[in-house]
Amino acid sequence: MAEKIALVGIGKIARDQHIPAIHGAKEWELAAVVSRSTALDGVDTYPTIEALLAARPDISTLSLAMPPRPRFDVAVKALNAGRHVMLEKPPAHSLAACLQLQRLATEKGVGLFASWHSRFAWCVPAARAWLEDKTLVSLRIAWNEDVRRWHPGQHWIFEPGGMGVFDPGINAVSIMTEILPDPVHVKEATLLFPKNRQAPIAATVAFHHGGGADVRADFDWRQEGPQQWTIDVETTDGHLCLTDGGSKMYVDGTLVDDGLNEEYPRLYRRLSELVTAGRSDMDLSPLVHVVDAFALGGRVLVEPFHF
Amino acid sequence: MAEKIALVGIGKIARDQHIPAIHGAKEWELAAVVSRSTALDGVDTYPTIEALLAARPDISTLSLAMPPRPRFDVAVKALNAGRHVMLEKPPAHSLAACLQLQRLATEKGVGLFASWHSRFAWCVPAARAWLEDKTLVSLRIAWNEDVRRWHPGQHWIFEPGGMGVFDPGINAVSIMTEILPDPVHVKEATLLFPKNRQAPIAATVAFHHGGGADVRADFDWRQEGPQQWTIDVETTDGHLCLTDGGSKMYVDGTLVDDGLNEEYPRLYRRLSELVTAGRSDMDLSPLVHVVDAFALGGRVLVEPFHF
């Protein structure tokens, strides 16, 4: 029988990804949504998290698809009410807030899932398996997209805490940390801030790798024309390339795996496994690398950016 | 009988603090130092960590008083060689590097101590005990000192990763996280960067507190005249004030505790307890708050700074 779930926050990502994924999952029944302004046909809508928690003790699991800042207080209330919680990425606006949620979930004995949707891209498991026994020579992330196309008019993304180009960049980092068998840490970074903005529009990050491999990431939001979400990995036994955000995988130039974009359906399947097993999955390493890049990064001012 | 310890890095902090503290401790015998350039009278000196580890299996514990960047590789070598390790603050230049060291120490079954010397200021235990059963109304850190006086000509401290005013500021944060019974996380921050520098010369940080208390920190390196290292705490049952970096404590205006600066002797006593018990102490919360402030902070350019 399907488990009841409620979705909190009915913005673009919820409509584009979460709702279709839940509706398509045999494991889940969308039993309610929380939204102050929007109703969803055929689903009970509550104006606040408090109203939902009071009225619906039958709903064991909440998926929080709202922005990270208001999400923290909602997550605290849900965990305190003994519900399992899934968090959109990034799990909170600060690392310390993530750690607080983690401790609270442990205290309450409920499941907490920090979801990184890009890890559920089609070829990520195959890439991880291929790399497992290889010796790394270099890894290069190239995550270059047009911010005007993907975030039109979203000024908040350039405000303090908006993360700037690390908002998509953290997706690449979440794949890298999933497929690399070895730990890395930020060695140095350069962050390009438009003169009129408070978050970087581009960044380069160099990572320390224990085996001496050259691990680097380039993130750029000024990419016009073809968009690029690529991770290139050179090993002593061949070359792996993930393109299209992880949905295509090449080994030594040959396409070996290619799948549909089913990130969110897979992510909700994982949530079901966690809830059934009574476990949490709160890997914070993508966020750790991003905050490290902010703390260690040199800053360069570049020309003002206007949408 | 005293346990043998080696000190790696013989800079200013080692001569001012570590060497006198070790010489004064009945728990420790300074058996060797590692330094490429400096010898220490009456103590075996090795030019490299590798030379020390190869020659001295009798030394169980290493204290690393060198700067954070080179410290990581040295710590990895020491932990891999099965030695207990104490790290000066901050434990590494990035949070991910700290987490790698923590995992390695667990794997190797050796003790790792991320030391925060300010937590060993005289009145910190009394402040912690006093606050334990109080309800917080507000906490205000004022950590204002003259960088020309305390870091004359140290250009690296303004370079990327040098942390700027958070180098002393993290000491205040380490006290706050030790004495506050409740968790907090950075809500917003403003970082003041001199136009010619890559690290902030001043910062204000506002923290989220679950009980709604007003928790803030002001760090400023442009303080001339009297220096200030104060933490003021208002509760529903009175007012606590720590001054002089935690060596004086006032309750409702009355001096209730006042002690010598014995931070490093206390710190080495703690190291001895950890090593004897086979335990680690790797609380990363001060560094978490600092990297969060960098990631969330708005940036303001201020006038160029020259030593």
Side-chain angles (χ1 to χ4, degrees):
Chain A
M1 209 184 74
E3 191 80 17
K4 287 177 184 161
I5 191 168
L7 185 61
V8 186
I10 310 292
K12 182 169 159 50
I13 187 77
R15 292 185 176 275
D16 289 353
Q17 300 289 352
H18 291 262
I19 294 171
I22 297 171
H23 279 321
K26 66 177 190 320
E27 296 90 348
W28 295 110
E29 174 201 340
L30 184 58
V33 298
V34 175
S35 173
R36 207 175 281 275
S37 53
T38 319
L40 202 66
D41 278 356
V43 180
D44 291 342
T45 304
Y46 297 87
T48 63
I49 179 73
E50 288 85 354
L52 173 85
L53 294 171
R56 301 299 298 270
D58 59 313
I59 300 177
S60 67
T61 305
L62 274 63
S63 174
L64 311 189
M66 59 213 298
R69 263 184 194 277
R71 207 193 295 146
F72 176 80
D73 285 331
V74 171
V76 167
K77 284 169 187 160
L79 295 169
N80 270 324
R83 315 298 169 96
H84 307 297
V85 170
M86 181 170 100
L87 304 163
E88 245 297 349
K89 66 102 199 177
H93 57 287
S94 74
L95 204 54
C98 295
L99 296 169
Q100 277 185 251
L101 294 179
Q102 197 169 22
R103 278 192 300 268
L104 183 57
T106 305
E107 258 174 56
K108 297 287 166 183
V110 293
L112 181 61
F113 180 24
S115 73
W116 302 103
H117 63 79
S118 291
R119 287 185 172 175
F120 294 88
W122 191 267
C123 302
V124 169
R128 183 189 168 103
W130 190 86
L131 275 168
E132 207 167 25
D133 60 352
K134 305 287 192 300
T135 301
L136 195 69
V137 175
S138 70
L139 182 147
R140 174 67 57 109
I141 292 171
W143 223 252
N144 302 317
E145 60 175 57
D146 184 351
V147 64
R148 289 188 180 89
R149 181 160 153 196
W150 303 100
H151 297 280
Q154 293 182 17
H155 289 278
W156 65 268
I157 215 159
F158 278 116
E159 281 166 16
M163 272 199 178
V165 76
F166 287 103
D167 178 85
I170 204 168
N171 296 335
V173 177
S174 77
I175 295 177
M176 178 185 75
T177 48
E178 179 74 9
I179 64 176
L180 261 196
D182 321 306
V184 296
H185 62 254
V186 175
K187 196 166 60 178
E188 51 194 33
T190 303
L191 314 178
L192 277 60
F193 285 76
K195 282 193 182 103
N196 62 336
R197 302 283 174 175
Q198 284 286 356
I201 195 163
T204 60
V205 183
F207 292 88
H208 174 283
H209 175 265
D214 179 25
V215 178
R216 285 168 194 278
D218 291 299
F219 307 114
D220 203 322
W221 251 352
R222 299 166 301 183
Q223 176 88 1
E224 296 176 1
Q227 308 287 289
Q228 184 181 30
W229 300 281
T230 300
I231 301 179
D232 260 302
V233 191
E234 196 65 50
T235 75
T236 54
D237 291 294
H239 175 257
L240 171 83
C241 185
L242 288 175
T243 68
D244 302 273
S247 60
K248 288 187 170 56
M249 171 169 152
Y250 298 81
V251 171
D252 297 327
T254 305
L255 184 67
V256 296
D257 198 10
D258 181 7
L260 291 171
N261 181 344
E262 294 205 324
E263 294 180 11
Y264 281 81
R266 286 172 163 209
L267 192 152
Y268 275 95
R269 216 166 300 140
R270 171 81 177 139
L271 177 63
S272 173
E273 290 165 13
L274 289 169
V275 164
T276 305
R279 286 195 301 120
S280 285
D281 178 349
M282 191 74 178
D283 177 20
L284 300 177
S285 60
L287 186 58
V288 167
H289 293 311
V290 169
V291 297
D292 277 344
F294 273 100
L296 288 173
R299 284 162 191 77
V300 177
L301 290 180
V302 297
E303 60 184 63
F305 174 81
H306 303 283
F307 278 106
Chain B
M1 210 186 74
E3 191 81 15
K4 287 177 186 163
I5 191 167
L7 185 61
V8 186
I10 310 292
K12 183 168 159 50
I13 187 77
R15 295 187 174 271
D16 288 354
Q17 299 289 352
H18 291 261
I19 294 170
I22 297 170
H23 279 320
K26 66 179 190 321
E27 297 89 349
W28 295 109
E29 174 201 339
L30 184 57
V33 299
V34 174
S35 173
R36 207 172 282 275
S37 53
T38 320
L40 202 66
D41 277 356
V43 181
D44 292 341
T45 304
Y46 297 88
T48 63
I49 180 73
E50 288 84 355
L52 172 86
L53 293 171
R56 301 299 300 268
D58 60 313
I59 300 177
S60 66
T61 306
L62 272 63
S63 173
L64 311 189
M66 58 214 297
R69 262 182 196 278
R71 207 194 292 146
F72 176 80
D73 285 331
V74 171
V76 167
K77 284 170 187 159
L79 294 170
N80 271 324
R83 315 298 169 96
H84 308 298
V85 170
M86 180 171 99
L87 305 162
E88 244 298 351
K89 66 100 196 176
H93 57 287
S94 75
L95 204 53
C98 293
L99 296 169
Q100 276 185 252
L101 295 178
Q102 195 168 23
R103 277 192 300 267
L104 182 58
T106 305
E107 260 174 54
K108 296 286 166 183
V110 293
L112 181 61
F113 180 25
S115 74
W116 301 102
H117 63 81
S118 291
R119 288 186 170 173
F120 295 86
W122 192 266
C123 301
V124 169
R128 182 188 168 104
W130 190 87
L131 274 168
E132 205 168 27
D133 59 353
K134 304 286 192 299
T135 302
L136 194 69
V137 174
S138 70
L139 182 147
R140 174 67 57 109
I141 292 171
W143 223 253
N144 302 316
E145 59 175 56
D146 184 350
V147 63
R148 290 190 180 90
R149 182 160 152 196
W150 303 100
H151 298 280
Q154 293 182 16
H155 290 277
W156 63 268
I157 215 159
F158 279 115
E159 281 166 15
M163 273 201 178
V165 74
F166 286 103
D167 178 85
I170 204 168
N171 296 334
V173 177
S174 77
I175 296 177
M176 178 184 76
T177 47
E178 178 75 9
I179 65 175
L180 261 196
D182 322 305
V184 295
H185 61 254
V186 174
K187 196 166 58 179
E188 49 193 35
T190 302
L191 313 178
L192 278 60
F193 285 76
K195 284 195 183 101
N196 62 336
R197 302 284 175 176
Q198 284 285 357
I201 195 163
T204 61
V205 183
F207 292 88
H208 174 283
H209 175 266
D214 179 25
V215 178
R216 282 165 197 281
D218 291 298
F219 306 114
D220 203 323
W221 250 351
R222 299 166 301 182
Q223 175 87 0
E224 295 177 4
Q227 308 287 289
Q228 184 181 28
W229 299 282
T230 300
I231 301 179
D232 260 303
V233 191
E234 196 67 47
T235 75
T236 54
D237 291 294
H239 175 256
L240 171 84
C241 184
L242 288 175
T243 68
D244 301 273
S247 60
K248 288 187 171 56
M249 170 169 153
Y250 298 82
V251 171
D252 297 329
T254 305
L255 184 68
V256 296
D257 197 9
D258 181 7
L260 292 171
N261 181 342
E262 294 204 323
E263 293 180 11
Y264 281 81
R266 286 172 161 209
L267 193 153
Y268 275 96
R269 216 167 301 140
R270 171 80 177 140
L271 177 64
S272 173
E273 290 165 13
L274 289 170
V275 164
T276 304
R279 288 198 299 120
S280 284
D281 178 351
M282 191 74 178
D283 176 21
L284 300 177
S285 59
L287 187 58
V288 167
H289 293 312
V290 168
V291 296
D292 277 344
F294 272 100
L296 289 172
R299 284 163 189 76
V300 177
L301 291 180
V302 297
E303 60 184 66
F305 174 80
H306 303 282
F307 277 106

